[in-house]
Amino acid sequence: GNNVRRVDIKTGLIELFAGLDARLYPAEQGTSRPYPGSNVSLLGYHGDGGPASGAAFHNPEHLAFDSRGDLYVCDNFNHRIRKIDMGSGAITTIMGTGWPSSSGDGGPAVEAGLLLPDSLFIDVQDNIYVGEKYGYRVRKIDAATGTVTTVVGTGVPGFGEEGLLGPETTCNACEAGLWADPDGTVFWGDQSGRLRRCDGATGIVTTVFGGTGVGDGGPAADAFLSGPGGLCASSDGTVYIADEWSHRVRAIEPRSGLVRTVAGDGAKAYGGENGPATDAYVSNPFDVSLDSLGRLVIAEKMGGFLRRVDEDGVIRVIAGSGLQLDRGDGGPALNACFYQVRAVAHDAEDNIYVGDDIGRIRRIDVESSTVSTVAGTGIRGYTGDGGPAAQARIGAPAAIDFDGSGNLYFCDRAYHMVRKVDTRGIISTVAGSGTAGFSLDGTDATDAMLDRPTGLAVSLDGTVYFSDTGNNRIRAINAEGRLCTVAGSDKPGDAGDGGHATIARLNEPRGLCLLGDGVLLMSDHFNNQVKAVRVSGGQ
């Protein structure tokens, strides 16, 4: 809504406090569309010097009060920190020029540039601390002088070394979790899955918890993962993991059991094409897939493109222009646009299939690199069963896999179902009624309620396994077309290793893949683990 609202603690009533009475249509579900007239979506920047009730914001997120009770707002996409005087109601900008630039240290805050401020804290002395999402810094406005300095960060994204002075160590985006003690010690939630600390007396940075490394070179069971997602395995048994919040792709060696990083240096950013994949920036990898030559394709959900790690360890863009749009069918993959890629898979001929949140599955031809649509129209929905998949509406394909006959299966996490596109291009539903919920084992799969299925693995004999993510279970469709639970139980958690899989506890399982002779691997997303269960139907 691009505004600030207030809840009266006595009456419990909510009211508009700052900003304009508006709707943000892109955030709404269903068929809602903008219309002319009052109460339409409004975002922007204006109103400084006047009442806050008449000001415009662009994605305000974080709030803080100073010792006088005045309110400060992180106006993210306006690249400003704004202050509302609680006495007069007037709003002013106290930091940021509006231009996206992390600059101005040593000068007044009102003349400094900010690059997407995304966290905010005011200490007991009224010093103001700001974390910049894409400036990769934590900065401070001195209460006495009004000048700006950098507390932590070089402006270059990175995992960050221990024992360096704050302005000499890299850090990741500081999106939430910022605190300063009275002595000037600053804590921040780094987007590498750690809480870090800059000492107020020495200025030295250390990690409070979350690990000073990710465990590369050691046993996989001792390594740190952070939000693992998609999985795939090579013919020699090497397992690849999209380690989403570590901003890396990891691999587990089959003989030694050791873990290593295949792509990403831990920074939440974009870059590094045509160089070593381990030095590149890989931002929020969601899924991975291997071709027959062992080349690894990575789906980064926010980038608008696909990248591949080749046999020489070099990372290259193979599809997408970097613009998050929906266009390009019939043309070369490098000129095509993708909106938000969450799923990637290869068929038996090494053609690449891409699941896009815009409501499409697209195919990249291995010979010509031409893009075409396999399923979906680009308008989200649930239609088309029994007809051509390219004319059907689908939601958000989050995982794709193939059976031994070449039929394509995908999880639609938006409409809570698993659907199939056969080799003739005809679409059908194999699990899910389209309604979020939970259904007991034994329910006909097409009548069942599922909750955000996000992972999928289809065995060569046609057994379909999927992550019933919101229900914290791994389910399968048996020979009679009914649901059965493979792993997980009625409560989320992390328990049951070594015991029967159906009484174990999982916490939003996501990626799946079959390994060897009937072993199903699963990403236990919020437990930051990869787990295994023996099943039939191995490949």
Side-chain angles (χ1 to χ4, degrees):
N2 293 292
N3 54 43
V4 179
R5 304 175 78 185
R6 174 181 180 271
V7 179
D8 188 290
I9 195 65
K10 295 179 180 177
T11 65
L13 299 178
I14 192 167
E15 63 182 1
L16 185 67
F17 177 76
L20 302 166
D21 189 7
R23 293 171 67 182
L24 183 63
Y25 283 88
E28 297 187 9
Q29 300 294 319
T31 58
S32 178
R33 293 289 183 270
Y35 64 94
S38 61
N39 299 323
V40 299
S41 178
L42 181 66
L43 52 83
Y45 167 68
H46 70 74
D48 274 5
S53 58
F57 299 92
H58 193 170
N59 280 30
E61 286 199 30
H62 301 277
L63 304 174
F65 288 93
D66 66 15
S67 62
R68 297 175 297 276
D70 293 328
L71 178 64
Y72 294 73
V73 182
C74 248
D75 196 353
N76 291 41
F77 288 176
N78 282 323
H79 310 287
R80 300 175 188 263
I81 304 298
R82 300 172 79 182
K83 172 186 174 182
I84 300 171
D85 186 296
M86 298 298 274
S88 66
I91 187 168
T92 55
T93 292
I94 60 105
M95 184 178 184
T97 62
W99 292 100
S101 168
S102 184
S103 60
D105 276 4
V110 292
E111 297 177 6
L114 283 172
L115 193 47
L116 206 68
D118 210 19
S119 53
L120 182 65
F121 185 82
I122 302 176
D123 70 12
V124 294
Q125 284 119 15
D126 286 336
N127 298 302
I128 300 171
Y129 295 84
V130 181
E132 293 183 64
K133 181 174 181 178
Y134 292 137
Y136 306 106
R137 303 176 193 266
V138 176
R139 302 172 77 190
K140 173 185 176 182
I141 306 173
D142 186 271
T145 65
T147 58
V148 175
T149 55
T150 291
V151 177
V152 172
T154 64
V156 177
F159 188 77
E161 296 182 37
E162 299 291 289
L164 297 179
L165 292 171
E168 296 175 1
T169 186
T170 58
C171 65
N172 264 309
C174 184
E175 295 185 42
L178 182 60
W179 177 277
D181 281 340
D183 66 358
T185 297
V186 176
F187 298 83
W188 77 98
D190 190 88
Q191 288 295 304
S192 57
R194 300 178 294 163
L195 180 69
R196 305 188 73 201
R197 175 184 186 271
C198 183
D199 186 83
T202 65
I204 297 295
V205 172
T206 54
T207 294
V208 179
F209 61 79
T212 58
V214 294
D216 279 352
D222 295 336
F224 288 99
L225 299 177
S226 189
L231 301 170
C232 66
S234 67
S235 57
D236 70 359
T238 302
V239 176
Y240 295 85
I241 307 163
D243 197 2
E244 184 180 357
W245 297 331
S246 282
H247 314 293
R248 292 175 165 88
V249 176
R250 318 286 291 283
I252 303 172
E253 301 292 347
R255 291 187 176 87
S256 66
L258 302 181
V259 69
R260 60 186 171 89
T261 291
V262 175
D265 74 346
K268 185 181 181 180
Y270 300 101
E273 282 72 33
N274 304 313
T278 51
D279 293 340
Y281 302 146
V282 177
S283 181
N284 296 115
F286 202 85
D287 200 8
V288 286
S289 182
L290 285 165
D291 67 12
S292 62
L293 300 176
R295 299 178 300 184
L296 183 78
V297 176
I298 306 169
E300 296 170 74
K301 66 182 180 182
M302 298 302 292
F305 47 69
L306 286 178
R307 293 197 283 177
R308 186 180 68 202
V309 181
D310 288 341
E311 303 99 310
D312 56 4
V314 172
I315 192 167
R316 296 176 171 89
V317 175
I318 60 166
S321 65
L323 297 174
Q324 288 186 257
L325 303 171
D326 176 33
R327 68 184 188 195
D329 276 7
L334 286 171
N335 291 346
C337 297
F338 300 88
Y339 178 66
Q340 194 171 91
V341 175
R342 289 182 184 265
V344 63
H346 289 83
D347 66 14
E349 286 77 42
D350 281 344
N351 300 300
I352 301 171
Y353 292 76
V354 182
D356 195 330
D357 255 14
I358 201 71
R360 287 188 196 272
I361 295 174
R362 299 165 84 183
R363 177 182 184 269
I364 303 171
D365 185 83
V366 66
E367 298 293 339
S368 66
S369 292
T370 301
V371 175
S372 59
T373 292
V374 173
T377 63
I379 299 174
R380 277 187 170 194
Y382 171 43
T383 65
D385 274 1
Q391 297 175 22
R393 290 190 181 184
I394 66 175
I400 301 170
D401 202 4
F402 294 86
D403 65 16
S405 301
N407 299 302
L408 180 152
Y409 296 76
F410 68 95
C411 285
D412 190 336
R413 68 182 183 87
Y415 288 91
H416 315 286
M417 58 181 54
V418 180
R419 302 181 79 181
K420 171 184 173 182
V421 180
D422 69 18
T423 54
R424 300 170 298 147
I426 303 301
I427 193 168
S428 59
T429 298
V430 297
S433 63
T435 301
F438 172 73
S439 291
L440 295 170
D441 285 357
T443 305
D444 284 339
T446 52
D447 294 333
M449 291 185 293
L450 312 177
D451 194 343
R452 290 171 289 124
T454 310
L456 182 68
V458 185
S459 69
L460 293 179
D461 68 5
T463 303
V464 178
Y465 301 93
F466 62 92
S467 301
D468 194 358
T469 301
N471 289 316
N472 302 297
R473 286 172 165 83
I474 307 299
R475 318 292 288 272
I477 304 171
N478 66 21
E480 291 75 39
R482 299 180 183 276
L483 281 188
C484 60
T485 294
V486 174
S489 53
D490 59 345
K491 293 181 180 179
D494 178 22
D497 277 6
H500 198 281
T502 56
I503 60 173
R505 293 186 180 182
L506 307 176
N507 201 341
E508 293 214 2
R510 297 197 179 179
L512 298 178
C513 78
L514 284 158
L515 177 67
D517 185 21
V519 174
L520 182 67
L521 302 182
M522 65 196 80
S523 288
D524 197 356
H525 186 71
F526 285 122
N527 283 328
N528 303 301
Q529 296 172 324
V530 174
K531 296 180 177 179
V533 60
R534 181 165 293 281
V535 296
S536 61
Q539 47 190 28

